[in-house]
Amino acid sequence: MTKPTIQTLKELKESSYQSKSIQQELAENLKKKISKGQNAFEGIHGYDHTVIPNLERAILSGHNINLMGLRGQAKTRLARGMTNLLDEWMPIIKGSELNDDPLSPITIEGNNIIDHKNDQTPIDWLHRSERFFEKLATPDVTIADLIGDIDPIKASQLKLTYADQRVIHFGMIPRAHRCIFALNELPDLQARIQVSLFSILQEKEVQIRGFKIRLPLNVLFVFTANPEDYTNRGSIVTPLKDRIGSQILTHYPRSINIAKTITLQEAQVQNITTDKITVPELALDLLEQISFEARKSEYVDNRSGVSARLSISAYENLISNAQRRLLKSKQKTTQIRISDFLGTISAINGKIELTYEGEQLGPEKVAFELINQSIKTLLPKHFPPIKKLTKTQEKDPYDFLIHWFMEDHQIELTDQMNDTKRKKIISSVPGLEEFLLNESKKLDSKDVLFHAEFLLWGISAHKKISRYQIQGGHRFKDSIGSFINRL
């Protein structure tokens, strides 16, 4: 829709416009979307039956909201998404400092403009994209930043006493009148600053240096908080929690498929790669499984959470590693490999907080362990499970592969070797490709090499063969079997 053409108060009164609070505005537009079966929060996945219903109830109730959850759980995105429930355009008195409603101004300035110009008061229109204010709560945030302060320069220029409301320079919250105001990481805000929000939330009063003004601000507050902050840095003071209408708990994706949808939506990958780099579905599953393993690993501090950004950054690194291989090998196309996952270690290390045991092991080894464990978890979903011990008469489906390595054979797979050489090396293992195609009837022939590499790593993860890290890849062999054969 284009910007409305109404330019004066008289035209606004003659139109169908009616003043309403931001809470009413959000609730009415949400009701329309729900009745039409439309999704009110596009681009948010995994919250359809948990967070979003609670959020919709809070909006319909006209509540201020506190989104509580660990990092990387789309709390800020949910807050920003609420702007889509606002009316597209909102009328304000042109030149007003606090977005005064032309039919119900709250400031001296707005009332003076109407007193002088009456029906010819100029009207401006504010788009809903400009009605979202956001502030990160840090220990250095002051009352002046949020609420305002007396401006001595303004008092001097206007020749006013400090008792006059016009000498106040308003902060971010008053300037968010008729808007959504998001305050991120609320527990990081000093307790005395949190206390200053009491009267705004409940009594609609602004208090600046003992100067109390009855200013009926109409703001919807959306706070975000990390539960870990309660022990590390600060807490939300109890009276403030009491004044927040709804506290909604967020969570991480609860399935691999939802996690994949989020990663593919958020990853910043150049369009050129989609034609030149193929990504097997198993590679995407493995990428997400790393995050799931990290959230339950003894080496990772789960209280701080494992952000969804881990998978997003790791996917970007995965694609970049394959793109780098294309540039160096002069090939036109390539496929993601297991060895490419070595390039994701820097992304993994930057997204996890280690426990004492993890620090002792070291970040790189923890990342290797997470990849290793992810392959072990996914392997039984695609291939026969690997048993630690088998009975004498029981046939192990992997005997052909283990015996081949025991006969002093070995292979090396790196992330930089060209596709032709990689295919030749994997094809040199007798019966491997046939086994893959027989075990998985739906396996696409172009994904056979990735599944072969995945299976080799899986067998080594179960200690059936040995895997040694080499520069940019891995060597698979059976040291003990080879030694015995030589004897």
PDB file of all heavy atoms in Angstrom, residues 306-327:
ATOM      1  N   VAL A 306      23.590 -24.107  23.190  1.00  0.00           N
ATOM      2  CA  VAL A 306      24.300 -24.273  21.908  1.00  0.00           C
ATOM      3  C   VAL A 306      23.407 -23.645  20.846  1.00  0.00           C
ATOM      4  O   VAL A 306      22.390 -24.210  20.453  1.00  0.00           O
ATOM      5  CB  VAL A 306      24.583 -25.750  21.597  1.00  0.00           C
ATOM      6  CG1 VAL A 306      25.266 -25.885  20.243  1.00  0.00           C
ATOM      7  CG2 VAL A 306      25.441 -26.377  22.687  1.00  0.00           C
ATOM      8  N   SER A 307      23.791 -22.485  20.399  1.00  0.00           N
ATOM      9  CA  SER A 307      22.961 -21.673  19.512  1.00  0.00           C
ATOM     10  C   SER A 307      22.706 -22.352  18.178  1.00  0.00           C
ATOM     11  O   SER A 307      23.522 -23.127  17.670  1.00  0.00           O
ATOM     12  CB  SER A 307      23.647 -20.320  19.285  1.00  0.00           C
ATOM     13  OG  SER A 307      23.004 -19.595  18.271  1.00  0.00           O
ATOM     14  N   ALA A 308      21.555 -22.041  17.588  1.00  0.00           N
ATOM     15  CA  ALA A 308      21.253 -22.501  16.226  1.00  0.00           C
ATOM     16  C   ALA A 308      22.250 -21.913  15.231  1.00  0.00           C
ATOM     17  O   ALA A 308      22.385 -22.415  14.112  1.00  0.00           O
ATOM     18  CB  ALA A 308      19.834 -22.089  15.842  1.00  0.00           C
ATOM     19  N   ARG A 309      22.974 -20.880  15.654  1.00  0.00           N
ATOM     20  CA  ARG A 309      23.981 -20.278  14.768  1.00  0.00           C
ATOM     21  C   ARG A 309      25.152 -21.233  14.521  1.00  0.00           C
ATOM     22  O   ARG A 309      25.916 -21.035  13.573  1.00  0.00           O
ATOM     23  CB  ARG A 309      24.490 -18.968  15.370  1.00  0.00           C
ATOM     24  CG  ARG A 309      23.402 -17.913  15.552  1.00  0.00           C
ATOM     25  CD  ARG A 309      23.958 -16.608  16.091  1.00  0.00           C
ATOM     26  NE  ARG A 309      22.890 -15.714  16.484  1.00  0.00           N
ATOM     27  CZ  ARG A 309      22.404 -15.610  17.715  1.00  0.00           C
ATOM     28  NH1 ARG A 309      22.918 -16.352  18.683  1.00  0.00           N
ATOM     29  NH2 ARG A 309      21.425 -14.777  17.996  1.00  0.00           N
ATOM     30  N   LEU A 310      25.326 -22.240  15.391  1.00  0.00           N
ATOM     31  CA  LEU A 310      26.397 -23.213  15.164  1.00  0.00           C
ATOM     32  C   LEU A 310      26.180 -23.912  13.829  1.00  0.00           C
ATOM     33  O   LEU A 310      27.092 -23.977  12.994  1.00  0.00           O
ATOM     34  CB  LEU A 310      26.431 -24.239  16.316  1.00  0.00           C
ATOM     35  CG  LEU A 310      27.588 -25.259  16.278  1.00  0.00           C
ATOM     36  CD1 LEU A 310      27.939 -25.719  17.701  1.00  0.00           C
ATOM     37  CD2 LEU A 310      27.282 -26.483  15.440  1.00  0.00           C
ATOM     38  N   SER A 311      24.976 -24.427  13.608  1.00  0.00           N
ATOM     39  CA  SER A 311      24.688 -25.130  12.349  1.00  0.00           C
ATOM     40  C   SER A 311      24.743 -24.183  11.158  1.00  0.00           C
ATOM     41  O   SER A 311      25.217 -24.565  10.085  1.00  0.00           O
ATOM     42  CB  SER A 311      23.300 -25.780  12.427  1.00  0.00           C
ATOM     43  OG  SER A 311      23.257 -26.728  13.459  1.00  0.00           O
ATOM     44  N   ILE A 312      24.270 -22.960  11.361  1.00  0.00           N
ATOM     45  CA  ILE A 312      24.257 -21.989  10.264  1.00  0.00           C
ATOM     46  C   ILE A 312      25.683 -21.658   9.828  1.00  0.00           C
ATOM     47  O   ILE A 312      26.021 -21.700   8.643  1.00  0.00           O
ATOM     48  CB  ILE A 312      23.495 -20.720  10.678  1.00  0.00           C
ATOM     49  CG1 ILE A 312      22.023 -21.053  10.962  1.00  0.00           C
ATOM     50  CG2 ILE A 312      23.598 -19.635   9.614  1.00  0.00           C
ATOM     51  CD1 ILE A 312      21.264 -19.959  11.678  1.00  0.00           C
ATOM     52  N   SER A 313      26.537 -21.328  10.799  1.00  0.00           N
ATOM     53  CA  SER A 313      27.934 -20.997  10.484  1.00  0.00           C
ATOM     54  C   SER A 313      28.678 -22.206   9.930  1.00  0.00           C
ATOM     55  O   SER A 313      29.493 -22.078   9.005  1.00  0.00           O
ATOM     56  CB  SER A 313      28.645 -20.477  11.741  1.00  0.00           C
ATOM     57  OG  SER A 313      28.052 -19.288  12.200  1.00  0.00           O
ATOM     58  N   ALA A 314      28.406 -23.389  10.506  1.00  0.00           N
ATOM     59  CA  ALA A 314      29.079 -24.596  10.030  1.00  0.00           C
ATOM     60  C   ALA A 314      28.676 -24.914   8.590  1.00  0.00           C
ATOM     61  O   ALA A 314      29.511 -25.324   7.779  1.00  0.00           O
ATOM     62  CB  ALA A 314      28.736 -25.776  10.943  1.00  0.00           C
ATOM     63  N   TYR A 315      27.409 -24.694   8.251  1.00  0.00           N
ATOM     64  CA  TYR A 315      26.956 -24.934   6.872  1.00  0.00           C
ATOM     65  C   TYR A 315      27.644 -23.968   5.906  1.00  0.00           C
ATOM     66  O   TYR A 315      28.063 -24.366   4.810  1.00  0.00           O
ATOM     67  CB  TYR A 315      25.439 -24.770   6.790  1.00  0.00           C
ATOM     68  CG  TYR A 315      24.875 -24.983   5.408  1.00  0.00           C
ATOM     69  CD1 TYR A 315      24.828 -26.254   4.841  1.00  0.00           C
ATOM     70  CD2 TYR A 315      24.393 -23.912   4.657  1.00  0.00           C
ATOM     71  CE1 TYR A 315      24.312 -26.445   3.558  1.00  0.00           C
ATOM     72  CE2 TYR A 315      23.875 -24.100   3.382  1.00  0.00           C
ATOM     73  CZ  TYR A 315      23.839 -25.368   2.844  1.00  0.00           C
ATOM     74  OH  TYR A 315      23.345 -25.567   1.572  1.00  0.00           O
ATOM     75  N   GLU A 316      27.778 -22.726   6.313  1.00  0.00           N
ATOM     76  CA  GLU A 316      28.467 -21.742   5.464  1.00  0.00           C
ATOM     77  C   GLU A 316      29.924 -22.141   5.257  1.00  0.00           C
ATOM     78  O   GLU A 316      30.461 -22.014   4.150  1.00  0.00           O
ATOM     79  CB  GLU A 316      28.370 -20.357   6.107  1.00  0.00           C
ATOM     80  CG  GLU A 316      26.957 -19.796   6.093  1.00  0.00           C
ATOM     81  CD  GLU A 316      26.775 -18.573   6.979  1.00  0.00           C
ATOM     82  OE1 GLU A 316      27.689 -18.266   7.779  1.00  0.00           O
ATOM     83  OE2 GLU A 316      25.717 -17.926   6.894  1.00  0.00           O
ATOM     84  N   ASN A 317      30.577 -22.644   6.326  1.00  0.00           N
ATOM     85  CA  ASN A 317      31.965 -23.116   6.196  1.00  0.00           C
ATOM     86  C   ASN A 317      32.053 -24.344   5.300  1.00  0.00           C
ATOM     87  O   ASN A 317      33.014 -24.517   4.547  1.00  0.00           O
ATOM     88  CB  ASN A 317      32.537 -23.457   7.579  1.00  0.00           C
ATOM     89  CG  ASN A 317      33.096 -22.238   8.284  1.00  0.00           C
ATOM     90  OD1 ASN A 317      32.998 -21.126   7.777  1.00  0.00           O
ATOM     91  ND2 ASN A 317      33.671 -22.433   9.442  1.00  0.00           N
ATOM     92  N   LEU A 318      31.053 -25.207   5.399  1.00  0.00           N
ATOM     93  CA  LEU A 318      31.025 -26.426   4.601  1.00  0.00           C
ATOM     94  C   LEU A 318      30.980 -26.078   3.108  1.00  0.00           C
ATOM     95  O   LEU A 318      31.738 -26.625   2.307  1.00  0.00           O
ATOM     96  CB  LEU A 318      29.782 -27.232   4.992  1.00  0.00           C
ATOM     97  CG  LEU A 318      29.774 -28.734   4.748  1.00  0.00           C
ATOM     98  CD1 LEU A 318      30.858 -29.417   5.561  1.00  0.00           C
ATOM     99  CD2 LEU A 318      28.412 -29.313   5.111  1.00  0.00           C
ATOM    100  N   ILE A 319      30.097 -25.153   2.767  1.00  0.00           N
ATOM    101  CA  ILE A 319      29.977 -24.723   1.371  1.00  0.00           C
ATOM    102  C   ILE A 319      31.247 -24.001   0.920  1.00  0.00           C
ATOM    103  O   ILE A 319      31.730 -24.200  -0.203  1.00  0.00           O
ATOM    104  CB  ILE A 319      28.740 -23.816   1.199  1.00  0.00           C
ATOM    105  CG1 ILE A 319      27.448 -24.579   1.507  1.00  0.00           C
ATOM    106  CG2 ILE A 319      28.691 -23.239  -0.206  1.00  0.00           C
ATOM    107  CD1 ILE A 319      27.169 -25.741   0.596  1.00  0.00           C
ATOM    108  N   SER A 320      31.798 -23.172   1.794  1.00  0.00           N
ATOM    109  CA  SER A 320      33.011 -22.415   1.432  1.00  0.00           C
ATOM    110  C   SER A 320      34.185 -23.338   1.178  1.00  0.00           C
ATOM    111  O   SER A 320      35.007 -23.091   0.282  1.00  0.00           O
ATOM    112  CB  SER A 320      33.364 -21.430   2.553  1.00  0.00           C
ATOM    113  OG  SER A 320      32.342 -20.482   2.712  1.00  0.00           O
ATOM    114  N   ASN A 321      34.287 -24.424   1.956  1.00  0.00           N
ATOM    115  CA  ASN A 321      35.387 -25.369   1.757  1.00  0.00           C
ATOM    116  C   ASN A 321      35.265 -26.051   0.399  1.00  0.00           C
ATOM    117  O   ASN A 321      36.258 -26.227  -0.314  1.00  0.00           O
ATOM    118  CB  ASN A 321      35.383 -26.414   2.880  1.00  0.00           C
ATOM    119  CG  ASN A 321      36.737 -27.093   3.030  1.00  0.00           C
ATOM    120  OD1 ASN A 321      37.731 -26.445   3.315  1.00  0.00           O
ATOM    121  ND2 ASN A 321      36.769 -28.391   2.806  1.00  0.00           N
ATOM    122  N   ALA A 322      34.034 -26.410   0.032  1.00  0.00           N
ATOM    123  CA  ALA A 322      33.818 -27.020  -1.287  1.00  0.00           C
ATOM    124  C   ALA A 322      34.073 -26.015  -2.410  1.00  0.00           C
ATOM    125  O   ALA A 322      34.627 -26.362  -3.457  1.00  0.00           O
ATOM    126  CB  ALA A 322      32.393 -27.560  -1.367  1.00  0.00           C
ATOM    127  N   GLN A 323      33.712 -24.765  -2.180  1.00  0.00           N
ATOM    128  CA  GLN A 323      33.944 -23.726  -3.181  1.00  0.00           C
ATOM    129  C   GLN A 323      35.444 -23.490  -3.367  1.00  0.00           C
ATOM    130  O   GLN A 323      35.919 -23.301  -4.494  1.00  0.00           O
ATOM    131  CB  GLN A 323      33.260 -22.444  -2.726  1.00  0.00           C
ATOM    132  CG  GLN A 323      33.066 -21.415  -3.821  1.00  0.00           C
ATOM    133  CD  GLN A 323      32.173 -20.283  -3.376  1.00  0.00           C
ATOM    134  OE1 GLN A 323      32.088 -19.976  -2.196  1.00  0.00           O
ATOM    135  NE2 GLN A 323      31.493 -19.660  -4.319  1.00  0.00           N
ATOM    136  N   ARG A 324      36.171 -23.530  -2.278  1.00  0.00           N
ATOM    137  CA  ARG A 324      37.631 -23.375  -2.333  1.00  0.00           C
ATOM    138  C   ARG A 324      38.255 -24.514  -3.144  1.00  0.00           C
ATOM    139  O   ARG A 324      39.192 -24.299  -3.919  1.00  0.00           O
ATOM    140  CB  ARG A 324      38.179 -23.368  -0.898  1.00  0.00           C
ATOM    141  CG  ARG A 324      39.676 -23.204  -0.775  1.00  0.00           C
ATOM    142  CD  ARG A 324      40.051 -22.981   0.678  1.00  0.00           C
ATOM    143  NE  ARG A 324      41.495 -22.952   0.859  1.00  0.00           N
ATOM    144  CZ  ARG A 324      42.220 -24.020   1.195  1.00  0.00           C
ATOM    145  NH1 ARG A 324      41.618 -25.191   1.393  1.00  0.00           N
ATOM    146  NH2 ARG A 324      43.522 -23.924   1.339  1.00  0.00           N
ATOM    147  N   ARG A 325      37.718 -25.721  -2.967  1.00  0.00           N
ATOM    148  CA  ARG A 325      38.218 -26.864  -3.728  1.00  0.00           C
ATOM    149  C   ARG A 325      37.965 -26.676  -5.227  1.00  0.00           C
ATOM    150  O   ARG A 325      38.812 -26.993  -6.050  1.00  0.00           O
ATOM    151  CB  ARG A 325      37.543 -28.145  -3.227  1.00  0.00           C
ATOM    152  CG  ARG A 325      37.934 -29.385  -4.006  1.00  0.00           C
ATOM    153  CD  ARG A 325      37.485 -30.680  -3.348  1.00  0.00           C
ATOM    154  NE  ARG A 325      36.042 -30.792  -3.198  1.00  0.00           N
ATOM    155  CZ  ARG A 325      35.401 -30.713  -2.042  1.00  0.00           C
ATOM    156  NH1 ARG A 325      36.073 -30.496  -0.919  1.00  0.00           N
ATOM    157  NH2 ARG A 325      34.090 -30.850  -1.986  1.00  0.00           N
ATOM    158  N   LEU A 326      36.792 -26.148  -5.573  1.00  0.00           N
ATOM    159  CA  LEU A 326      36.483 -25.890  -6.978  1.00  0.00           C
ATOM    160  C   LEU A 326      37.481 -24.923  -7.600  1.00  0.00           C
ATOM    161  O   LEU A 326      37.946 -25.115  -8.723  1.00  0.00           O
ATOM    162  CB  LEU A 326      35.066 -25.318  -7.109  1.00  0.00           C
ATOM    163  CG  LEU A 326      33.887 -26.293  -7.068  1.00  0.00           C
ATOM    164  CD1 LEU A 326      32.582 -25.526  -7.156  1.00  0.00           C
ATOM    165  CD2 LEU A 326      33.981 -27.301  -8.208  1.00  0.00           C
ATOM    166  N   LEU A 327      37.797 -23.884  -6.858  1.00  0.00           N
ATOM    167  CA  LEU A 327      38.705 -22.860  -7.376  1.00  0.00           C
ATOM    168  C   LEU A 327      40.113 -23.413  -7.575  1.00  0.00           C
ATOM    169  O   LEU A 327      40.794 -23.075  -8.548  1.00  0.00           O
ATOM    170  CB  LEU A 327      38.735 -21.663  -6.419  1.00  0.00           C
ATOM    171  CG  LEU A 327      37.406 -20.893  -6.277  1.00  0.00           C
ATOM    172  CD1 LEU A 327      37.498 -19.880  -5.143  1.00  0.00           C
ATOM    173  CD2 LEU A 327      37.065 -20.195  -7.593  1.00  0.00           C
TER     174      LEU A 327
END
